[in-house]
Amino acid sequence: MMRSILSMLFIMVIMSSQAQTDGGIQFTQGSWDAIKQLAKDQNKPIFIDCYTSWCGPCKMLSKKVFTQPQVGQLFNDHFINFKIDMEKGEGPALKSQYKVAAYPTLIWVDANGNELHKSVGAPNADELLQLATQVLDGKGLAALARNYSATPNCYTTMLQYIEALNKAYDKQAIGQVLQKYFTEHKGKELLKEANYHLIKYYLNDIYSPTFKWFDKHQKAFKQKYSEEEIEVKLYQSYLSYGQSLISKNTVDYEGFERYKKVLNKRTVKERNKIIAFVQESIYRAESNWDAYIEAIRHNLEMQYYEADNAFLYYNWARAIGLSETAASEHYLQAALWMEKAFEVSTWPLQNNIVYLNEKLKLLKKANTDAKSIEALTKRIEQLKRQANNSQ
């Protein structure tokens, strides 16, 4: 009797499954337990699309990639496909279970929920098919981890595992693998091309003995490899480490003080610029909008930002616009940045209008006078007509 009831539930789940378009991936709706049971009954692994409602690349993936017939054929034939918002229902629990930290995250698991493979980002159709084939061929992240555990001294096996971890955005696991490897490979041996490859692409811990040796002996690396490449690696590593001290609205202040001392001690090139960028991000995390605006003005005056960039102006303004605690003068400054984004953007006019729509929202938040609101509204409507007529 119980089996019959379960079968009927699974039929209902399948009937509720909707292809996003004809020929695309069919995502099955239902509880996580029901999805796993269905996978057991059909002897198939599960594909999970982890998304959020605000994630732009997630929407692009759903609209442009999941809908393609060749993608739908492979995924519908070989997987139980499950799409879930990580911020609703069972989403937060699955986010914690599978350590989802960015969106979109694509995960393949077996019918018991054991992870087979993970990839962060929005692949195109060919890349997605390649990922799925990798799982079906038994070459997913879990399999690569087993291979690495069995032959930890094989460079090729280790590199394949690191590359997969990088696509899964698992920086912690990469750090552990590199720490073990560089315990046995150090000093002048780091100058070998295979070891430099690991440093260049995957080593980001500025406190690790290997990175310190790399920095201290950068002249030797520059003699053997591209000087510009070495400079970029050092700059990006120090900057990204500083940014890693900030998590949403939390700042590791003690870590930041230690970080500044290290940059000064090592005489890092462009250290003032790097520290200024990290400090700007700290003010943003603190919602310290007076200091944030002043920091951006200072960084512009110092020409730390190389050229007018619409995306930068948009992001600066957007940070303030999302705040409910900013003052009118902060929203007005953000509105000026949105106008600047509109001016310098190289997008087509119909795309650029989004900046003015955002400016309008900011002016309303700043309780700007009705005349200014009306003027901008009329301007936007006029530009929309102009964009439509030019198509």
Side-chain angles (χ1 to χ4, degrees):
M1 180 65 177
M2 182 59 69
R3 181 173 292 275
S4 298
I5 293 173
L6 287 173
S7 297
M8 289 187 68
L9 285 173
F10 294 141
I11 291 172
M12 290 173 66
V13 168
I14 296 169
M15 288 177 65
S16 69
S17 172
Q18 299 291 327
Q20 295 184 311
T21 62
D22 291 342
I25 296 180
Q26 293 178 343
F27 286 96
T28 304
Q29 299 176 9
S31 70
W32 180 230
D33 284 341
I35 294 295
K36 289 189 290 183
Q37 186 59 54
L38 185 60
K40 291 175 183 177
D41 288 355
Q42 295 192 18
N43 193 28
K44 290 181 178 181
I46 303 166
F47 166 64
I48 313 172
D49 172 30
C50 304
Y51 72 96
T52 65
S53 60
W54 46 262
C55 168
C58 300
K59 295 174 183 177
M60 183 281 295
L61 198 58
S62 292
K63 186 176 180 181
K64 302 291 186 182
V65 179
F66 292 161
T67 54
Q68 296 195 27
Q70 70 272 30
V71 173
Q73 182 176 353
L74 180 68
F75 277 74
N76 296 336
D77 287 349
H78 297 284
F79 301 102
I80 301 298
N81 304 301
F82 184 52
K83 174 186 282 287
I84 182 166
D85 188 328
M86 291 285 101
E87 296 179 337
K88 297 178 181 177
E90 294 182 285
L94 291 176
K95 174 184 176 181
S96 176
Q97 180 178 349
Y98 294 112
K99 299 179 181 177
V100 176
Y103 304 101
T105 292
L106 309 178
I107 305 174
W108 286 261
V109 302
D110 64 22
N112 292 313
N114 299 310
E115 188 175 310
L116 300 173
H117 195 60
K118 180 191 289 183
S119 180
V120 176
N124 61 34
D126 289 339
E127 291 167 340
L128 182 58
L129 290 171
Q130 185 177 1
L131 287 169
T133 302
Q134 186 177 343
V135 175
L136 294 172
D137 290 344
K139 298 178 181 178
L141 184 56
L144 293 173
R146 289 193 296 271
N147 292 342
Y148 169 69
S149 296
T151 56
N153 295 323
C154 175
Y155 181 90
T156 301
T157 301
M158 178 193 68
L159 184 58
Q160 289 175 341
Y161 181 41
I162 288 175
E163 289 171 346
L165 287 171
N166 190 53
K167 290 180 180 178
Y169 210 68
D170 195 339
K171 305 300 182 185
Q172 183 177 359
I174 292 175
Q176 292 170 349
V177 174
L178 290 179
Q179 182 180 17
K180 183 178 186 305
Y181 176 81
F182 284 126
T183 298
E184 300 169 3
H185 302 81
K186 59 184 72 174
K188 292 183 178 180
E189 192 176 350
L190 298 177
L191 288 164
K192 292 181 179 179
E193 187 172 357
N195 294 330
Y196 172 63
H197 178 86
L198 295 176
I199 294 170
K200 176 184 173 182
Y201 290 106
Y202 304 112
L203 183 65
N204 294 301
D205 181 2
I206 64 171
Y207 295 115
S208 70
T210 302
F211 190 92
K212 286 191 280 188
W213 200 93
F214 169 63
D215 188 348
K216 185 176 181 180
H217 298 87
Q218 57 183 272
K219 185 176 180 180
F221 283 92
K222 289 174 181 176
Q223 289 173 346
K224 189 169 184 178
Y225 305 102
S226 164
E227 181 174 349
E228 181 181 0
E229 194 174 84
I230 304 298
E231 293 285 359
V232 169
K233 170 61 183 178
L234 288 166
Y235 175 83
Q236 290 181 341
S237 295
Y238 281 113
L239 179 59
S240 64
Y241 190 90
Q243 298 289 5
S244 74
L245 299 171
I246 308 158
S247 177
K248 292 185 178 179
N249 298 323
T250 303
V251 179
D252 180 357
Y253 294 104
E254 184 177 338
F256 181 53
E257 291 304 315
R258 178 191 179 201
Y259 166 78
K260 288 189 290 185
K261 290 178 182 178
V262 166
L263 264 64
N264 286 322
K265 184 177 180 180
R266 295 184 190 176
T267 60
V268 175
K269 188 175 181 180
E270 295 191 292
R271 61 183 178 277
N272 291 336
K273 177 180 175 180
I274 293 171
I275 292 171
F277 283 160
V278 176
Q279 183 68 72
E280 179 187 308
S281 296
I282 289 175
Y283 291 142
R284 178 174 177 163
E286 294 172 333
S287 297
N288 186 347
W289 302 123
D290 286 330
Y292 178 64
I293 291 169
E294 185 57 38
I296 291 171
R297 288 173 178 166
H298 171 267
N299 293 341
L300 286 168
E301 288 173 4
M302 295 297 295
Q303 298 184 328
Y304 288 159
Y305 295 106
E306 296 177 2
D308 281 337
N309 185 314
F311 189 65
L312 277 176
Y313 286 112
Y314 173 82
N315 272 338
W316 292 335
R318 185 69 172 156
I320 296 174
L322 290 172
S323 172
E324 297 300 328
T325 60
S328 293
E329 61 266 26
H330 304 140
Y331 293 128
L332 289 173
Q333 176 60 67
L336 290 175
W337 282 332
M338 280 298 182
E339 180 67 36
K340 188 67 175 177
F342 176 79
E343 291 175 5
V344 303
S345 175
T346 56
W347 283 359
L349 179 58
Q350 64 266 28
N351 298 90
N352 277 343
I353 292 173
V354 69
Y355 295 128
L356 297 183
N357 286 328
E358 292 298 321
K359 178 183 178 180
L360 185 60
K361 294 177 186 177
L362 288 162
L363 291 180
K364 290 178 179 178
K365 272 196 161 187
N367 294 317
T368 305
D369 62 277
K371 188 176 179 180
S372 297
I373 298 292
E374 183 181 359
L376 181 55
T377 302
K378 288 181 178 179
R379 180 185 172 201
I380 291 171
E381 292 304 318
Q382 182 182 359
L383 289 171
K384 284 181 179 178
R385 288 193 296 270
Q386 182 181 331
N388 291 331
N389 292 335
S390 65
Q391 290 181 346

